[in-house]
Amino acid sequence: MAQARIAVGMSRSRREGRKLLEGLLYLLPALAIFGVFVFYPLANSIRLSLYQTDILGNGQFFLGLAQYKEIFTLGEFGVSLGTTALYAAYLVIPGIVLSLCLALMANWRLRGIGVYRLLFASPMVVAVASASLIWMMFFSPAQGVLKFFLSLFHIDQINWLADTRWALFSVSMVAVWRTLGFNTILLLGGIQAVPEDMYESSRIDGAGPWTMFWKMTLPMISPVLMFLLITSTISALQSFGEINMLTQGGPAGVTNVVVYSIYREAFFNYNFGFAAAEAMVLFAIIMALTLLQFFVLERRVFYQ
C-alpha cells in the first residue's frame, strides 16, 4: 500500500514537472525578447551608472554611488524633475478628460458617426515628427492658425515656442493631441461595453443623463480610466520626441524634462555614466508612482 502511494506521488510529480517545463518552453520566446531588449539594457545601465565612462561609453573607473549623490547635490536634476511634473500635469488629466468628452460624442447614434470616430482616432497614426511639424506651423507667430484665431478676439500674438511662459504648455498641447486617438478608442470601447438594459432600467426609474453618466457610466469604465491614468503618467514622464523636435529643452531650459536632460548628458556631453544614473533614478520614480497608483486607485475601481 505504501509503495503504491509512493508510485502515485512520483507520477504526480513527473506530471507537474512536465507541465512546468512545457510552460517554460511556451514562455521562452517572450523571455528571450525581454532579455535582449529590456533586461540586458537595464542591467547594463545599472552597471554604467557606477562607472566613469569614456567617450564611447565604456566604463573606466569604478565610482560606486558617487554619481547618484552628485545628481541630488547639483540641483539640476531636481529642476528637470519639476519641469517633468508640470508637463505631466498639463498632459495627463486634461488629455483623459478631453478624450472622455470625445468618446461620449462618438457614442452618439448619428448618421455618419463613423466618419467622426475616424477623425477622433486619426492623431494616433501620426508620427511624432509629422505631428511636431504640423503644430510648428500652427504655432508660427507670423502666419500660424492660432495667431488667426487670437486675432478674432483682439488678443496679441503669442510666441508659443519661444516664450518661457508658454513653451512647456505648447509642447504639452502637441502631446495631448497625439494621445487623443488612443485614449478615445479605449474609452469608447469601455462606454459601449456598458449593458444597454442598465440604461433602460434607469430611464424607467426616472434617472436623467447626468445621473446615468455619474452613477453608471463612470463606475463601469473606471478600469479603463485607471489604465489610461497609469499609462499616460508613464508616457508623460518619458516624453522626448515633441521636446526634441519643437524646443530642444529651451527657451532658457523651461522644457528641459528629465529624459531630454539624460539625452543631452549622454550624447552632447558624452557622460554616459552620469546619464545612466539619472535614468535609474527616473526608473525608480516611475516604478514608485505606478505602484502607488495601483494601490490607491484599484480600491476605487469597479470590476463588473
Side-chain angles (χ1 to χ4, degrees), residues 72-149:
F72 293 105
T73 52
L74 285 179
E76 294 177 2
F77 185 81
V79 175
S80 294
L81 199 59
T83 302
T84 306
L86 186 58
Y87 179 77
Y90 286 149
L91 173 60
V92 177
I93 299 300
I96 293 176
V97 171
L98 191 55
S99 300
L100 181 58
C101 295
L102 292 179
L104 291 171
M105 292 169 61
N107 195 42
W108 291 346
R109 294 177 181 174
L110 300 174
R111 180 177 295 178
I113 192 65
V115 177
Y116 291 104
R117 290 174 182 169
L118 181 64
L119 291 175
F120 292 157
S122 58
M124 185 175 58
V125 299
V126 180
V128 176
S130 303
S132 300
L133 288 174
I134 292 169
W135 277 87
M136 201 177 287
M137 290 188 287
F138 287 175
F139 288 136
S140 171
Q143 300 175 341
V145 176
L146 296 179
K147 175 182 179 296
F148 170 75
F149 284 111

Side-chain angles (χ1 to χ4, degrees), residues 147-199:
K147 175 182 179 296
F148 170 75
F149 284 111
L150 290 178
S151 65
L152 295 178
F153 299 98
H154 306 289
I155 299 175
D156 294 337
Q157 67 173 359
I158 297 173
N159 203 345
W160 296 94
L161 298 175
D163 191 325
T164 54
R165 296 168 298 176
W166 290 96
L168 189 64
F169 176 76
S170 304
V171 177
S172 68
M173 285 173 60
V174 181
V176 168
W177 180 77
R178 285 193 60 248
T179 58
L180 278 182
F182 179 73
N183 294 355
T184 302
I185 287 176
L186 285 186
L187 287 169
L188 180 60
I191 292 170
Q192 291 184 337
V194 180
E196 188 62 30
D197 55 352
M198 293 178 65
Y199 290 121

Side-chain angles (χ1 to χ4, degrees), residues 38-54:
V38 178
F39 299 136
Y40 172 72
L42 178 62
N44 198 39
S45 296
I46 294 173
R47 183 184 65 82
L48 283 179
S49 68
L50 305 176
Y51 282 85
Q52 182 181 353
T53 56
D54 61 14

Side-chain angles (χ1 to χ4, degrees), residues 15 31 42 49 58 88 106 122 154 163 176-177 189 199 210 230 243 245 248 253 272-273 294:
R15 282 201 302 272
L31 289 175
L42 178 62
S49 68
N58 300 314
S122 58
H154 306 289
D163 191 325
V176 168
W177 180 77
Y199 290 121
W210 173 251
I230 292 173
I243 302 288
M245 291 293 297
Q248 297 184 338
F272 292 96
F294 261 114

Side-chain angles (χ1 to χ4, degrees), residues 55 78 224 262 283 304:
I55 195 170
V224 182
I262 294 170
F283 170 75
Q304 190 175 4

